[in-house]
């Protein structure tokens, strides 16, 4: 993966290798157990007295937590709502980001710089700082307690970062390509859809995945905009599970596993791109 | 083609920011239309002990958690940037907690930190007697002792430094190899290489990431404080600025007052952005951007 080009010559050869391997092992030992415990906790029989010793595999293994979570918390309904939001918001968001990124790449540098700076500023604003004003705006529009405020961030490309990523990707395409398209009398829309977009397919894949993860995990927006139980998304249903009975951990952990599953799965599919994104020149490829 | 995004940018970020500014000088409870309150909110903020505690908590949290997060991310990036046995799964593992939905992650730690049947304290009690650790001390009361609760929130947030880690990993790989070859020729020790070569070369990226994380820390303390410690233990040990704003607005329905507190948060953000901008300008020549 890493390749030799970027790395220093091995520090004291074999011994360095062994230390690095031990280090990697240590990292695994620290970062993996919490997630294993999440699964193991969710498979514990609800209502049993806590075992005196820590154990990774619960005894007995039980799926009662899952059944209760599905029965009590309306988790299924919430999962459907989450899916609905994701199905609408994710394609819309990727579309907005790709269009905006392309437009920025084709814009005069001065105008593009202005939007880039505004995007960077928007990227900096902590999400909690926008809670109150956004809420009052949606409230004035009569859109609270609907799923609209949960889909609205798609207009921002979910995160301005993705617009900037598209901007960089489209800017990296050779200028001759655009000139050739203009000679062919293609419209900007046509160039975007038929020429530019197919060339940045890996970027689209990664951004789609990340947008899904962010949308699926969004907790803050549903928390303030949605009160109707029938409109709860999965993260919100999880919260109500834990508020309902904070001591019955197998139930809310089961819900947490159900919410984590899709996010981690999608994330796993694209994680290699994060570690390759400095490799676009190909010089670091083994 | 830019239009939808510009609408989003203006409608969801710039306009709300302007609304905050206006709202901060009003009383608004959703039922009655906003009424002008002048500087009443601001003067109340200055004397509000809870706000002061929340602000202090947020700043302390940022000053402790951010260095820990960045140091961990840097350590991991330097350890795992090369191909070695186990490096690939370790990289993925380090990134995984960042992929877990915030709320699920919060609930996981709510259980892990449970003083009685939480795995962390179970582990600490192994070998000890009567609920004490091996050293004969009471295990940390994560959710009831103010200091332990703050430590718990920091511990939780240290694990989610995945984004910083990815950026540092990329930054480390982009460093030129020849510098390291020269260092090796001069028989530099590992520590020398780190201090004289790696650190100076990565300083710009590190500085930008630190500022970014400082701003983000205003936000990522919110869910843990809401879900795991509920802002407590009393009095307000883990009530951060974000939680204060949420409570004031959405629980006590004082939107004007919450907007005034939001304004403080935005001022902190602006200050950090200015610092970042200056850093960026300074390193611009360096990166030939």
């Amino acid at each position: 993966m890493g390749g030799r080009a970027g790395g220093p010559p091995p520090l004291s050869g074999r011994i360095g290798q062994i230390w690095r391997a031990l280090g990697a092992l240590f990292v695994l030992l620290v970062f993996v157990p919490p997630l294993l415990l999440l699964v193991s906790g969710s498979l514990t029989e609800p209502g049993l007295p806590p075992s005196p010793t820590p154990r990774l595999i619960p005894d007995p293994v039980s799926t009662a937590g899952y059944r209760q979570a599905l029965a009590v918390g309306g988790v299924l309904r919430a999962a459907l709502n989450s899916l609905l939001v994701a199905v609408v918001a994710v394609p819309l968001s990727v579309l907005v980001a790709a269009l905006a990124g392309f437009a920025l790449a084709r814009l005069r540098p001065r105008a593009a710089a202005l939007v880039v700076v505004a995007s960077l500023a928007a990227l900096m604003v902590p999400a909690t700082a926008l809670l109150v004003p956004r809420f009052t705006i949606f409230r004035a529009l009569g859109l609270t307690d609907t799923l609209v405020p949960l889909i609205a961030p798609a207009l921002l490309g979910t995160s301005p970062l993705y617009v900037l990523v598209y901007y960089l990707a489209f800017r990296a395409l050779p200028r001759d390509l655009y000139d050739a398209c203009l000679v062919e009398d293609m419209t900007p829309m046509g160039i975007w859809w038929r020429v530019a977009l197919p060339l940045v397919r890996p970027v689209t894949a990664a951004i789609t995945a990340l947008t899904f993860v962010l949308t699926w995990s969004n907790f803050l927006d549903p928390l303030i905009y949605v009160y109707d139980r029938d409109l709860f998304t999965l993260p919100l249903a999880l919260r109500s599970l834990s508020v309902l009975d904070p001591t019955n951990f197998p139930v809310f952990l089961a819900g947490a596993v159900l919410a984590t599953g899709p996010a981690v799965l999608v994330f796993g599919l694209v994680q290699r791109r994060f570690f390759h994104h400095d490799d676009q020149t190909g010089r670091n490829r083994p | 083609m830019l239009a939808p995004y510009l609408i989003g940018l203006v409608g969801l970020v710039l306009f709300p920011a302007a609304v905050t500014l206006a709202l901060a000088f009003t009383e608004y409870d959703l039922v009655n239309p906003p009424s002008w309150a002048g500087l009443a909110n601001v003067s109340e903020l200055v004397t509000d002990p809870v706000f002061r505690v929340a602000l202090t908590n947020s700043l302390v949290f940022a000053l402790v958690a951010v260095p820990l997060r960045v140091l961990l991310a840097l350590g991991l990036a330097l350890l795992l940037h090369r191909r070695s046995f186990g490096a690939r799964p370790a990289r993925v593992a380090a990134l995984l907690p960042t992929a877990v939905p915030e709320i699920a992650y919060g609930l996981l730690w709510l259980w892990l930190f449970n003083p009685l049947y939480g795995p962390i304290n179970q582990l600490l009690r192994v070998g000890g007697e009567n609920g004490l650790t091996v050293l004969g001390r009471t295990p940390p009361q994560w959710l009831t002792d103010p200091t332990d609760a703050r430590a718990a929130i920091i511990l939780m947030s240290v694990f989610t430094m995945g984004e910083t880690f990815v950026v540092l990993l990329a930054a480390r790989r982009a460093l030129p190899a020849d510098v390291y070859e020269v260092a090796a020729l001069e028989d530099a020790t590992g520590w020398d290489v780190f201090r004289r070569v790696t650190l100076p070369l990565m300083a710009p990226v590190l500085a930008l990431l630190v500022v970014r994380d400082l701003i983000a820390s205003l936000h990522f303390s919110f869910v843990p404080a809401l879900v795991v410690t509920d802002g407590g233990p009393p009095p307000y040990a883990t009530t951060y600025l974000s939680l204060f704003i949420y409570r004031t607005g959405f629980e006590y329905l004082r939107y004007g007052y919450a907007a005034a507190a939001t304004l403080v948060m935005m001022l902190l953000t602006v200050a950090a952005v200015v610092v970042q901008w200056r850093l960026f300008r300074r390193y611009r020549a360096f990166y030939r951007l």
Side-chain angles (χ1 to χ4, degrees), chain A residues 7 23 71 75 87 93 100 112 127 141 159 174-175 183 187 195 248:
Chain A
V75 166
V87 164
S93 168
L141 294 173
S159 159
R175 187 159 282 277
V183 170
T187 59
V195 180
N248 202 355

Side-chain angles (χ1 to χ4, degrees), chain B residues 164-286:
Chain B
T164 312
F165 164 62
V166 173
V167 176
L168 285 175
L169 197 69
R172 173 59 189 84
R173 283 196 187 161
L175 297 188
D178 42 3
V179 191
Y180 288 94
E181 277 153 22
V182 172
L185 283 181
E186 299 203 344
D187 277 338
T189 62
W191 172 246
D192 276 339
V193 172
F194 172 71
R195 204 166 58 94
R196 299 267 172 82
V197 181
T198 311
L199 207 54
L201 284 177
M202 288 179 76
V205 181
L206 277 173
L208 291 180
L209 284 175
V210 166
V211 179
R212 179 184 175 273
D213 229 37
L214 282 174
I215 299 173
S217 75
L218 291 174
H219 168 64
F220 62 63
S221 55
F222 176 68
V223 174
L226 179 75
V227 176
V228 180
T229 55
D230 200 21
Y236 306 105
T238 60
T239 297
Y240 302 103
L241 208 46
S242 46
L243 191 64
F244 176 83
I245 291 171
Y246 172 76
R247 289 256 148 93
T248 311
F250 298 96
E251 285 178 13
Y252 309 142
L253 299 181
R254 298 194 57 199
Y255 288 91
Y257 194 44
T262 303
L263 217 53
V264 174
M265 195 187 224
M266 285 188 165
L267 285 178
L268 287 175
T269 307
V270 168
V273 170
V274 169
V275 171
Q276 190 162 23
W277 182 244
R278 299 189 66 142
L279 283 172
F280 182 72
R281 291 259 298 251
R282 177 180 296 178
Y283 296 126
R284 202 168 183 171
F286 182 87

